[in-house]
């Protein structure tokens, strides 16, 4: 995972001179490498250690998949080619900023087979596994968990005697439906170890977090997970699970997120069911000095 350096030094900041730091979430190894493309590209997602970069953010929105350690690059179709397919959903956004808005909502997945690289972009929260939360309208009181497989390659004969290959997106496959009354506000899908976990709230209140395995929900079983061991999950636009053996400052069996009813960054201890502040307010603003005890 690519990390910022702290003190508001985001990847691509001029003071970093094109360098970026990566953390191996399995071993805790940290590597600093030079990525010249960060000087004029934005990193809009990371896929298994690869970087999805965007340049020309106000015009075509060029997209490139970069291996940060070998320098290998694959050029992909620009984001502008997606705009006609989105209909009126971007009409409220000024034309000059539509590409930038698209990039801010992208999640990516990539597959590599027989020398062919396929990148799937999800415009919004979600990746290959998706959650369609119940909205309460039209008697829609069931949460739906969906899976989208990789695109299907279709070959057809061309006019010159050759063949052309196109990709067709598979329709979503329904994995499970869960009544809204039994699982309140599921919002996040997080990979933890070898499991995909679903995070929401318990009962009518948002005071207690509920975590279930997606595999159990597929079997229509709501089996709460009481502990995630020495792992801590971070929830927001990017959801990850990190083990305390990787980051020594991370305390295990916690979920770090914004408090559902109060505006502060909190941590929820699963075993005890208690909330506390994850950091003090000074830590939210870069170089501000923290409090003394």
């Amino acid at each position: 995972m690519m990390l910022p350096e702290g003190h508001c030094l985001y990847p691509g900041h001029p003071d970093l001179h094109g360098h970026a730091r990566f953390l191996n979430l399995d071993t805790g190894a940290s590597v600093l490498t030079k990525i010249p493309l960060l000087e004029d590209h934005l990193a809009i997602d990371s896929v298994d250690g690869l970087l999805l970069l965007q340049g020309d953010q106000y015009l075509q929105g060029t997209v490139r998949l970069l291996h940060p350690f070998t320098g290998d690059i694959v050029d992909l179709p620009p984001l502008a080619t997606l705009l006609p397919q989105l209909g009126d959903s971007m009409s409220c956004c000024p034309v000059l900023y539509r590409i930038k808005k698209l990039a801010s909502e992208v999640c990516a997945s990539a597959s590599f087979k027989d020398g062919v690289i396929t990148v799937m972009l999800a415009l919004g929260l979600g990746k290959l596994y998706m959650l369609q939360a119940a909205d309460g309208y039209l008697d829609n009181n069931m949460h739906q968990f969906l899976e989208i497989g990789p695109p299907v390659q279709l070959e057809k004969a061309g006019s010159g005697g050759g063949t052309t290959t196109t990709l067709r997106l598979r329709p979503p496959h329904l994995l499970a439906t869960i009544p809204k009354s039994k699982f309140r506000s599921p919002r996040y899908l997080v990979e933890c170890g070898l499991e995909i976990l679903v995070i929401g709230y318990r009962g009518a209140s948002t005071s207690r977090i509920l975590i279930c395995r997606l595999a159990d929900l597929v079997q229509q079983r709501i089996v709460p997970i009481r502990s995630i061991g020495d792992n801590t999950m971070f929830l927001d636009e990017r959801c990850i699970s990190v083990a305390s053996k990787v980051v020594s400052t991370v305390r295990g069996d916690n979920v770090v997120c914004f408090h559902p009813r109060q505006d502060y960054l909190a941590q929820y201890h699963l075993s005890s069911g208690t909330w506390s502040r994850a950091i003090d307010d000074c830590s939210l603003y870069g170089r501000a000095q923290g409090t003394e005890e």
Side-chain angles (χ1 to χ4, degrees), residues 178-198:
I178 300 297
K180 180 181 178 180
S181 60
K182 295 185 177 180
F183 204 148
R184 180 179 174 84
S185 302
R187 293 186 56 193
Y188 303 103
L189 296 171
V190 183
E191 184 177 2
C192 183
L194 300 178
E195 297 280 354
I196 296 178
L197 305 181
V198 182

Side-chain angles (χ1 to χ4, degrees), residues 63-291:
V63 178
R64 290 174 166 174
L65 191 66
L66 168 72
H67 193 301
F69 304 119
T70 66
D72 292 332
I73 298 174
V74 174
D75 288 318
L76 303 170
L79 288 177
T81 59
L82 299 177
L83 290 176
Q85 305 176 47
L86 299 179
D88 296 331
S89 61
M90 299 291 290
S91 59
C92 61
C93 183
V95 174
L96 189 62
Y97 295 96
R98 290 180 181 178
I99 296 298
K100 191 172 183 178
K101 179 174 174 57
L102 271 182
S104 69
E105 298 179 346
V106 164
C107 288
S109 179
S111 63
F112 313 91
K113 184 177 181 181
D114 299 328
V116 176
I117 299 174
T118 301
V119 176
M120 181 184 296
L121 303 182
L123 302 178
L125 299 179
K127 287 193 177 180
L128 290 180
Y129 292 95
M130 301 178 65
L131 166 64
Q132 180 66 48
D135 56 20
Y137 296 102
L138 301 177
D139 296 326
N140 178 18
N141 292 311
M142 304 291 287
H143 304 301
Q144 294 184 335
F145 297 92
L146 307 169
E147 178 185 22
I148 299 180
V152 179
Q153 293 190 22
L154 301 176
E155 294 186 355
K156 62 179 180 179
S159 58
T163 60
T164 59
T165 301
T166 59
L167 295 176
R168 184 183 67 188
L169 193 63
R170 301 174 188 263
H173 170 63
L174 181 63
L175 292 175
T177 57
I178 300 297
K180 180 181 178 180
S181 60
K182 295 185 177 180
F183 204 148
R184 180 179 174 84
S185 302
R187 293 186 56 193
Y188 303 103
L189 296 171
V190 183
E191 184 177 2
C192 183
L194 300 178
E195 297 280 354
I196 296 178
L197 305 181
V198 182
I199 295 92
Y201 296 99
R202 192 186 296 265
S205 170
T206 56
S207 62
R208 301 194 67 185
I209 286 180
L210 174 62
I211 300 179
C212 294
R213 296 181 179 89
L214 180 60
D216 290 331
L217 297 179
V218 170
Q219 300 297 322
Q220 302 295 310
R221 298 181 302 176
I222 300 180
V223 183
I225 292 179
R226 307 296 182 184
S227 172
I228 54 174
D230 68 345
N231 296 299
T232 290
M233 291 190 292
F234 296 86
L235 308 180
D236 203 347
E237 294 181 1
R238 182 73 63 239
C239 300
I240 63 171
S241 172
V242 180
S244 57
K245 68 177 181 180
V246 174
V247 181
S248 59
T249 56
V250 169
R251 179 180 163 215
D253 206 25
N254 273 302
V255 177
V256 177
C257 61
F258 274 92
H259 195 283
R261 291 178 295 180
Q262 302 176 38
D263 188 19
Y264 69 89
L265 188 63
Q267 60 184 11
Y268 179 83
H269 189 248
L270 281 172
S271 299
S272 64
T274 57
W275 292 92
S276 61
R277 288 186 177 271
I279 56 176
D280 60 37
D281 291 337
C282 296
S283 303
L284 292 173
Y285 305 107
R287 304 184 183 191
Q289 184 175 353
T291 57

